[in-house]
């Protein structure tokens, strides 16, 4: 009887814990803290001098936490300004109206300056965030996040790549223009989330493409254009749900000769009606409720090889994770955004990779046991530091011995607990960026009033467009690329949508000529945001499968026009 009572009591307690509800202190929405959340907070709570400093439950809902992290990342807005070390003109993600010292990346990586020169003692009379704000304002910043690149001055978050231009989040690539979320791509333009591909144009969410244009949600395709969810195709046009085929147009097979004849005719006829017909067809075919591949006990969208992970989005190789946005290869992590591999036991972080045991960090790489730090690299055991590389046992950019460090850290945590700062991510006001130049603006668009009312940073600063003598409206450009003279490089083109002028560069012109593509009529920003509009909202909605009626959660809300099927119905329809 006693045992039964104990078991019943435990079950009852578990039930209460499972259903722990909190109100978000920002949006006031209700959110749930589960039993496994509590286990995770316990697991990552750090220990100093045998005392565990518990991570408490969050005060914001997962979505507000995501938004708060994203205000710390500016990927696309780049400006001209002066390097505060060398005086030269540089490209930087920090607009010139900001009062920070900014060093060009080469100087920043050099030993010609020492971030420990800015070290401070912790002042127990002031709050942590107040003092950290002073420190991050003082320490010079890296102009753009770049490493091991050649001939790629106008980029951000790019590594190990050559000849990259106006692109963000790029690794191991070359000859790439106006693209985002790219790994191992050679010769590409206007791409989003593409890997291991070559000679590609205007494509999204695909892998292993060669000589492809307008290809979405596909893999292992070559010499093809306008594909949707296709695999292993060669010489195909306007196809969907097709695998292991050659010489198909609108999913109909042709002889090789006939295919080439039709394809050549389409190029000559500019293909507008057929493109329209293709997009109408794509709109009309049923959509999968979410894009999941090899996913076990996990939720949300665009996941591949994911196990036991909830509320994760656009991620690969996750295990036991929660509230993760754009990531690959991660175990036991929660509340993290954008991106990179080999992370374990990390909580509340953005723009990072190769981290173990890390809590509340912004852009830290290759670090262990790092807490409340900004932009630290190849370091261990840091508390409240910024822009340090190859350091350990530092607090507020000041060097301590291991013993001193382990004595002082607990005292500062106790002070943070009193100020309700321990376990909370950095307040949005600490971000060095305006809300409207960060990725938060892309995921959670707000107008000026909303930005200000929600206490995010705001500025109307716009980089002046460089003076150009010759501007041509886009609709005045010759349609055929063979009629475009080299002199176009000396002109600015006026975007037909935003009226903002833009230029094209020589390798870009060569790309259009090689692939027989017209000069774009839209500014790169307009093209980027049009691609972003093709993404579903980053929300799960309750809706029914349009075939079997089963209740499900989908990124397609119930009021949208698309026909949406559950996993089972979709599989039956496609295969
Ligand atoms: Zn909220
Ligand atoms: Zn169904």
């Amino acid at each position: 009887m006693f045992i039964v009572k104990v078991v019943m009591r435990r079950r009852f307690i578990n039930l209460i814990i499972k259903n722990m509800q909190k109100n978000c202190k920002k949006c006031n929405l209700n959110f749930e803290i589960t039993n496994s959340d509590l286990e995770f907070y316990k697991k990552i709570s750090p220990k100093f001098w045998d005392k565990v400093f518990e991570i408490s439950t969050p005060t914001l809902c997962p979505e507000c936490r995501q938004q708060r992290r994203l205000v710390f990342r500016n990927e696309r807005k780049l400006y001209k300004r002066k390097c505060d070390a060398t005086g030269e003109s540089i490209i930087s993600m920090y607009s010139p109206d900001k009062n920070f010292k900014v060093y060009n990346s080469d100087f920043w990586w050099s030993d010609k300056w020492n971030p420990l020169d800015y070290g401070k003692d912790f002042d127990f009379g002031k709050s942590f965030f107040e003092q950290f704000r002073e420190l991050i304002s003082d320490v010079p910043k890296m102009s753009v996040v770049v490493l091991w690149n050649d001939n790629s001055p106008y980029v951000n978050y790019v590594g190990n790549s050559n000849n990259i231009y106006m692109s963000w989040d790029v690794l191991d690539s070359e000859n790439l223009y106006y693209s985002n979320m790219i790994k191992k791509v050679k010769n590409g333009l206007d791409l989003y989330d593409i890997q291991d591909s070559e000679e590609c144009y205007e494509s999204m969410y695909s892998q292993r493409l060669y000589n492809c244009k307008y290809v979405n949600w596909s893999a292992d395709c070559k010499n093809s254009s306008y594909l949707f969810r296709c695999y292993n195709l060669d010489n195909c046009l306007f196809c969907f749900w097709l695998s292991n085929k050659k010489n198909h147009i609108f999913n109909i097979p042709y002889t090789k000769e006939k295919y080439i004849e039709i394809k050549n005719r389409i190029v000559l006829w500019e293909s507008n009606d057929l493109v329209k017909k293709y997009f109408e067809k794509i709109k009309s075919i049923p959509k999968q409720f979410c894009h999941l591949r090899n996913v076990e006990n996990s939720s949300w969208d665009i996941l591949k090889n994911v196990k036991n992970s909830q509320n994760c989005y656009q991620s690969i190789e996750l295990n036991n994770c929660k509230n993760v946005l754009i990531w690959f290869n991660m175990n036991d992590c929660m509340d993290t955004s954008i991106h990179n591999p080999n992370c374990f036991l990390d909580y509340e972080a953005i723009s990072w990779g190769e981290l173990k045991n890390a809590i509340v960090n912004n852009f830290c790489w290759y670090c262990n046991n790092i807490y409340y730090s900004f932009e630290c690299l190849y370091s261990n055991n840091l508390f409240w530091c910024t822009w340090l590389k190859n350091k350990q046992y530092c607090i507020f950019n000041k060097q301590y011995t291991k013993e001193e460090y382990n004595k002082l850290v607990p005292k500062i945590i106790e002070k943070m607990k009193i100020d309700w700062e321990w376990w909370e991510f950095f307040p949005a006001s600490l971000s060095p960026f305006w809300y409207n130049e960060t990725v938060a603006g892309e995921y959670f668009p707000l107008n000026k009033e909303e930005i200000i009312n929600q206490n995010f940073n705001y500025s109307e600063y716009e980089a002046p467009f460089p003076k150009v003598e010759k501007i041509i409206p886009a609709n005045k450009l010759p349609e055929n690329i063979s009629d475009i003279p080299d002199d176009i490089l000396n002109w600015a083109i006026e975007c037909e949508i935003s009226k903002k002028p833009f230029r094209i560069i020589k390798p870009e012109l060569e790309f259009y000529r090689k692939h027989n593509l017209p000069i774009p009529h839209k500014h790169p920003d307009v093209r980027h945001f049009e691609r972003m509009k093709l993404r579903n909202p980053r929300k799960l909605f309750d809706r029914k499968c349009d075939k079997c009626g089963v209740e499900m959660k989908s990124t397609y809300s119930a009021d949208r026009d698309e026909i949406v099927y559950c996993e089972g119905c979709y599989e039956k329809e496609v295969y």
Side-chain angles (χ1 to χ4, degrees):
M1 192 61 198
F2 174 73
I3 293 167
V4 170
K5 259 189 184 170
V6 169
V7 170
M8 291 290 283
R9 193 180 145 80
R10 270 197 199 141
R11 275 191 189 156
F12 182 65
I13 290 168
N14 279 346
L15 204 67
I16 293 170
I17 293 171
K18 261 181 194 161
N19 292 330
M20 184 198 281
Q21 301 289 320
K22 285 188 88 158
N23 258 22
C24 171
K25 76 173 182 195
K26 180 165 177 281
C27 72
N28 215 21
L29 278 182
N30 210 261
F31 66 100
E32 195 174 53
I33 306 285
T34 67
N35 221 352
S36 61
D37 293 345
L38 294 173
E39 276 166 27
F40 174 80
Y41 301 134
K42 209 170 165 186
K43 205 151 114 186
I44 53 152
S45 297
K47 205 175 183 186
F48 296 94
W49 289 124
D50 288 335
K51 184 175 174 190
V52 174
F53 290 85
E54 270 180 31
I55 295 295
S56 227
T57 54
T59 53
L60 300 192
C61 72
E63 201 163 270
C64 289
R65 266 138 58 198
Q66 188 72 261
Q67 185 185 26
R68 182 172 59 178
R69 283 191 299 279
L70 293 179
V71 299
F72 287 83
R73 185 173 172 99
N74 168 19
E75 289 180 345
R76 302 189 71 252
K77 280 276 193 181
L78 298 183
Y79 307 88
K80 268 193 179 152
R81 62 173 294 155
K82 286 234 156 9
C83 168
D84 288 300
T86 64
E88 67 189 307
S89 178
I90 53 168
I91 299 295
S92 172
M93 61 176 149
Y94 302 100
S95 54
D97 61 331
K98 290 182 185 119
N99 215 8
F100 304 127
K101 270 193 196 147
V102 176
Y103 288 175
N104 84 51
S105 302
D106 288 345
F107 190 92
W108 189 91
W109 279 104
S110 76
D111 292 330
K112 292 175 189 160
W113 72 289
N114 186 356
L116 291 185
D117 291 346
Y118 300 83
K120 288 172 193 277
D121 288 320
F122 188 83
D123 179 348
F124 284 87
K126 285 180 178 176
S127 77
F128 158 69
F129 287 139
E130 204 181 339
Q131 295 176 72
F132 197 62
R133 182 191 302 279
E134 287 166 19
L135 181 73
I136 55 178
S137 306
D138 288 352
V139 181
K141 302 186 185 318
M142 195 197 294
S143 54
V144 280
V145 179
V146 291
L147 193 58
W148 304 312
N149 301 319
D150 275 334
N151 191 30
S152 309
Y154 209 93
V155 297
N156 200 8
Y157 297 103
V158 171
N160 202 30
S161 298
N162 305 325
N163 304 325
I164 316 292
Y165 181 69
M166 285 184 74
S167 298
W168 346 100
D169 256 347
V170 177
L171 265 181
D172 309 327
S173 297
E174 67 182 274
N175 308 332
L176 185 75
Y177 316 95
Y178 315 106
S179 296
N180 183 209
M181 282 195 71
I182 305 295
K183 201 173 172 203
K184 291 189 183 166
V185 171
K186 197 174 165 186
N187 304 341
L189 206 148
D190 280 337
L191 306 175
Y192 177 72
D193 201 348
I194 301 287
Q195 296 82 34
D196 303 298
S197 298
E198 211 175 316
E199 303 290 352
C200 297
Y201 179 69
E202 195 63 76
S203 297
M204 293 173 72
Y205 299 118
S206 299
Q207 295 81 41
R208 299 174 302 283
L209 306 180
Y210 178 79
N211 191 24
C212 286
K213 304 174 188 80
Y214 303 96
V215 171
N216 286 347
W217 299 106
S218 298
D220 301 299
C221 295
K222 55 187 176 182
N223 309 315
S224 300
S225 298
Y226 295 99
L227 306 181
F228 178 78
R229 302 202 72 145
C230 292
Y231 303 94
N232 195 24
L233 301 192
D234 185 7
N235 276 318
C236 289
L237 260 178
F238 305 120
C239 293
F240 55 93
W241 296 348
L242 204 61
S243 297
N244 310 316
K245 298 279 189 257
K246 279 183 181 179
N247 308 320
H248 279 56
I249 301 176
F250 280 104
N251 288 18
I252 297 166
Y254 291 85
T255 62
K256 191 179 175 186
E257 294 70 30
K258 189 75 186 161
Y259 172 83
I260 291 169
E261 187 206 316
I262 298 173
K263 187 187 160 233
N264 288 342
R265 211 157 16 111
I266 289 169
V267 173
L268 276 178
W269 291 349
E270 281 301 305
S271 72
N272 287 343
D273 285 346
L274 288 173
V275 170
K276 225 192 229 172
K277 185 181 156 194
Y278 164 78
F279 282 116
E280 273 163 18
K281 182 72 198 169
I282 296 305
K283 209 173 172 200
S284 72
I285 58 176
K287 302 292 175 306
Q288 194 179 6
F289 74 116
C290 280
H291 302 85
L292 308 174
R293 269 182 136 191
N294 190 21
V295 166
E296 219 177 275
N297 184 30
S298 302
S299 71
W300 208 6
D301 202 5
I302 319 183
L303 301 177
K304 194 175 158 189
N305 303 338
V306 171
K307 254 187 180 177
N308 306 321
S309 298
Q310 307 310 319
N311 204 30
C312 298
Y313 189 91
Q314 214 170 344
S315 298
I316 303 170
E317 315 276 348
L318 306 184
N319 192 18
N320 287 329
C321 294
K322 194 167 180 183
N323 308 331
V324 167
L325 176 73
I326 308 182
W327 212 278
F328 66 93
N329 196 345
M330 189 158 79
N331 270 280
D332 281 312
C333 295
M334 199 195 272
D335 287 313
T336 61
S337 323
I338 321 171
H339 79 48
N340 277 303
N342 303 328
C343 293
F344 304 95
L345 285 172
D346 304 326
Y347 176 59
E348 280 278 24
I350 176 155
S351 307
W352 57 320
E354 308 277 350
L355 282 198
K356 291 183 186 90
N357 296 318
I359 297 171
V360 184
N361 291 291
N362 170 28
F363 186 63
C364 294
W365 273 73
Y366 297 99
C367 296
N368 292 334
N369 305 317
I370 177 164
Y371 306 89
Y372 283 92
S373 290
F374 257 47
E375 301 121 341
C376 292
L377 304 151
Y378 303 100
S379 299
N380 296 322
N381 298 299
L382 301 183
F383 249 98
W384 311 285
C385 289
T386 182
W387 288 124
L388 294 190
K389 47 188 184 285
N390 302 311
K391 295 283 181 289
Q392 56 175 347
Y393 301 116
C394 295
I395 301 170
F396 270 106
N397 282 31
K398 195 177 163 183
Q399 184 69 63
Y400 292 88
T401 64
K402 185 181 173 184
E403 289 67 32
E404 288 167 338
Y405 175 89
N406 281 326
K407 254 186 208 169
L408 186 53
V409 164
K411 286 183 191 159
I412 304 180
I413 294 178
E414 291 300 346
K415 161 73 177 150
M416 289 177 82
K417 278 161 111 176
I418 295 166
D419 296 333
W420 291 85
E421 290 175 326
W422 177 240
W423 81 82
E424 285 292 335
F425 193 72
F426 306 108
S429 62
L430 275 191
S431 167
F433 304 114
W434 314 126
Y435 186 88
N436 38 329
E437 59 187 10
T438 67
V439 279
E442 274 183 35
Y443 291 89
F444 304 91
L446 300 177
N447 63 32
K448 179 184 170 183
E449 223 177 28
E450 290 164 332
I451 294 171
I452 293 164
N453 287 344
Q454 293 183 33
N455 295 321
F456 294 120
N457 302 333
Y458 181 79
S459 162
E460 268 161 17
Y461 180 84
E462 271 287 337
F465 187 77
K467 273 189 186 155
V468 278
E469 284 174 8
K470 301 189 275 191
I471 296 188
I472 181 168
N475 60 7
K476 293 271 181 345
L477 287 167
E479 275 185 29
N480 201 322
I481 188 70
S482 58
D483 297 329
I484 299 280
D486 287 352
D487 189 44
I488 187 76
L489 299 174
N490 301 315
W491 288 69
I493 300 162
E494 188 189 75
C495 169
E496 64 183 16
I497 306 288
S498 66
K499 303 294 173 205
K500 234 169 122 181
F502 64 99
R503 303 185 81 145
I504 60 166
I505 59 167
K506 195 163 177 263
E508 182 187 356
L509 178 62
E510 284 161 7
F511 184 93
Y512 298 136
R513 283 176 173 163
K514 184 176 174 185
H515 292 276
N516 197 20
L517 289 161
I519 298 283
H521 285 197
K522 294 171 190 168
H523 189 282
D525 282 351
V526 173
R527 277 140 50 198
H528 170 77
F529 286 111
E530 282 184 354
R531 276 193 295 280
M532 296 305 96
K533 269 189 208 154
L534 296 177
R535 307 185 302 190
N536 275 9
R538 273 148 182 69
K539 265 189 181 163
L540 277 178
F541 303 93
D542 289 316
R543 65 164 297 148
K544 283 187 172 122
C545 167
D546 284 320
K547 183 117 192 213
C548 71
V550 71
E551 294 280 353
M552 59 185 188
K553 286 194 183 292
S554 167
T555 48
Y556 294 93
S557 57
D559 56 358
R560 283 177 62 143
D561 294 339
E562 292 93 342
I563 300 164
V564 180
Y565 284 4
C566 71
E567 186 76 16
C569 293
Y570 186 81
E571 295 272 313
K572 266 184 233 156
E573 186 80 16
V574 177
Y575 303 108

